[in-house]
Amino acid sequence: MEYYSEEISSLIDELGRLPGIGAKSAQRIAFHILHMPKEEAKRLAHTITEAREKVHYCRECFTLTDSDLCPICSNPRRDHKKIMVVENTQDLAAYEKTGKYDGVYHVLHGAISPMQGIGPDDIKLKELMARISKEDVSEVIIATNSSLEGETTAMYISKLIKPAGIKTTRIASGVPVGGDLENIDEMTLLRALEGRTEI
Amino acid sequence: MEYYSEEISSLIDELGRLPGIGAKSAQRIAFHILHMPKEEAKRLAHTITEAREKVHYCRECFTLTDSDLCPICSNPRRDHKKIMVVENTQDLAAYEKTGKYDGVYHVLHGAISPMQGIGPDDIKLKELMARISKEDVSEVIIATNSSLEGETTAMYISKLIKPAGIKTTRIASGVPVGGDLENIDEMTLLRALEGRTEI
């Protein structure tokens, strides 16, 4: 038996498919939308369609952008010889927020995960190799996550790149700034110890 | 400075305005949408527009429906002399799920809340009174929430209806079925005691 009319049920279903939205949230959001002024609901729908239509991969670094070449790749003031490899566009944005990185990026859109059946061909790795072979690259900074998948991907990439004689670095793992030692897991503490530098 | 292209930022903004979706969730959902097949994103947008366009109030009970008269109001097998007053369409659905209520409903779309500046005229109360005066109603069951606002609304409605000589009832407040006494708040326990019945 259906307790809601078809349109309401479909809306709840569609919203419930989005990540992190359970059945209860989907229902709450659906009724919120049904009570919105029509113009607002239309704007929300339009924004979704527009974003999906206009946003695509940058032809150089594969970040999500609305232009053929993203603002970073098309910026002549960035150091195009330095490529930071990240798992996704959000990670790129996180580094951009620091305002201190002057190189360019390469977005993999994932990480190698044998457990989830994601192999090197399922991420933008061939595209990275193509870039490195045709451009004059001085350093590849591997900034994949500090997870099992991220580390596996980092190892894999470094093995591919190093033979070409290109400097390959990995971002440091360690204690987060402001982190209280007693609340940090052992693996992180071990990494912080291994990665210690002279002061 | 913008870390995302305009379409991505707008999408994150719009999603972040939905109830229960914080900045982090909005970003995660936005990137999920950007990675959806185009057809799926279009379908989501279409579902939102369609639902908002086609769903409106039932002319009788004011629940959200896609027909002029909702399936319950247009069902001749329901007891149209018995009206259950609920705060919203979700509450109506919750009662429908029990499968035991054979009367009809009236959806207020809110509850009286002096704190939030919601008065009797801001909910579908005039509409309820109009229904009662023109139809042959034998009982009005007030099923507003057991919150301060819900109780205030229940009191207000009963004072309006009782003079007309119509039986007015309030759903019972008490210990939820399967509820463990030690985890239930004092107000509920007190209500359960006050509402005790002989066995």
Side-chain angles (χ1 to χ4, degrees), chain A residues 142-175:
Chain A
I142 308 177
T144 51
N145 287 338
S146 183
S147 60
L148 179 61
E149 292 77 16
E151 294 296 349
T152 307
T153 310
M155 289 291 286
Y156 192 93
I157 296 176
S158 74
K159 277 185 188 158
L160 280 182
I161 298 175
K162 272 191 164 170
I166 296 164
K167 184 177 172 189
T168 310
T169 55
R170 176 86 175 106
I171 53 162
S173 243
V175 177

Side-chain angles (χ1 to χ4, degrees), chain A residues 22-122:
Chain A
K24 286 266 168 193
S25 308
Q27 188 171 300
R28 190 173 56 207
I29 297 170
F31 282 97
H32 176 86
I33 290 173
L34 292 169
H35 283 104
M36 271 180 178
K38 278 189 188 179
E39 280 317 303
E40 256 182 61
K42 262 190 198 165
R43 199 182 59 209
L44 171 62
H46 181 74
T47 307
I48 291 171
T49 321
E50 278 282 297
R52 187 60 194 84
E53 285 288 336
K54 293 202 178 160
V55 173
H56 48 74
Y57 295 146
C58 165
R59 77 170 141 84
E60 191 74 14
C61 76
F62 293 87
T63 192
L64 290 165
T65 182
D66 54 358
S67 44
D68 179 41
L69 208 58
C70 78
I72 296 168
C73 286
S74 56
N75 186 345
R77 285 195 306 264
R78 307 285 296 224
D79 180 355
H80 288 254
K81 293 186 169 188
K82 202 157 69 186
I83 300 179
M84 183 188 283
V85 181
V86 291
E87 292 187 19
N88 54 47
T89 301
Q90 295 98 299
D91 293 349
L92 179 159
Y95 260 100
E96 279 302 284
K97 278 176 197 163
T98 67
K100 296 292 182 196
Y101 178 65
D102 66 344
V104 293
Y105 296 89
H106 187 87
V107 182
L108 295 174
H109 291 286
I112 296 170
S113 169
M115 293 275 285
Q116 293 176 270
I118 301 170
D121 289 346
D122 300 315

Side-chain angles (χ1 to χ4, degrees), chain B residues 22-46:
Chain B
K24 286 267 170 192
S25 309
Q27 188 171 302
R28 192 172 55 207
I29 297 170
F31 281 98
H32 175 86
I33 290 173
L34 291 170
H35 283 103
M36 273 181 177
K38 278 192 186 176
E39 279 318 304
E40 257 183 58
K42 261 190 198 165
R43 197 182 62 210
L44 171 63
H46 181 74

Side-chain angles (χ1 to χ4, degrees), chain B residues 21-199:
Chain B
I21 297 190
K24 286 267 170 192
S25 309
Q27 188 171 302
R28 192 172 55 207
I29 297 170
F31 281 98
H32 175 86
I33 290 173
L34 291 170
H35 283 103
M36 273 181 177
K38 278 192 186 176
E39 279 318 304
E40 257 183 58
K42 261 190 198 165
R43 197 182 62 210
L44 171 63
H46 181 74
T47 308
I48 291 170
T49 320
E50 277 284 295
R52 187 60 194 85
E53 285 287 335
K54 291 200 178 163
V55 174
H56 48 74
Y57 294 146
C58 164
R59 77 170 140 83
E60 190 73 13
C61 77
F62 294 88
T63 193
L64 289 167
T65 182
D66 54 359
S67 44
D68 180 40
L69 208 58
C70 78
I72 297 168
C73 285
S74 56
N75 185 345
R77 287 195 306 264
R78 305 288 295 226
D79 180 355
H80 289 254
K81 290 185 169 188
K82 203 157 68 186
I83 300 178
M84 184 188 283
V85 181
V86 291
E87 290 186 20
N88 56 46
T89 300
Q90 294 97 299
D91 293 349
L92 179 158
Y95 261 101
E96 279 302 284
K97 278 176 196 162
T98 68
K100 296 293 183 196
Y101 179 66
D102 66 344
V104 293
Y105 295 89
H106 186 86
V107 181
L108 294 174
H109 290 286
I112 297 170
S113 169
M115 292 275 283
Q116 294 176 269
I118 301 170
D121 290 345
D122 300 315
I123 59 177
K124 304 284 175 200
L125 205 52
K126 276 196 305 283
E127 291 82 353
L128 172 64
M129 299 316 293
R131 257 178 101 177
I132 292 173
S133 68
K134 79 173 200 288
E135 282 169 56
D136 178 20
V137 175
S138 64
E139 182 179 356
V140 173
I141 303 164
I142 307 177
T144 50
N145 287 337
S146 183
S147 60
L148 179 62
E149 293 77 16
E151 294 296 349
T152 307
T153 310
M155 289 291 286
Y156 192 93
I157 296 175
S158 76
K159 276 186 187 157
L160 280 181
I161 298 174
K162 271 191 165 169
I166 297 164
K167 185 179 170 188
T168 310
T169 57
R170 176 86 174 106
I171 53 162
S173 243
V175 178
V177 178
D180 196 347
L181 281 196
E182 64 177 21
N183 299 323
I184 294 166
D185 65 288
E186 291 167 32
M187 276 305 292
T188 303
L189 291 178
L190 215 61
R191 287 286 185 80
L193 184 65
E194 285 170 3
R196 68 189 179 278
T197 52
E198 213 166 316
I199 53 169

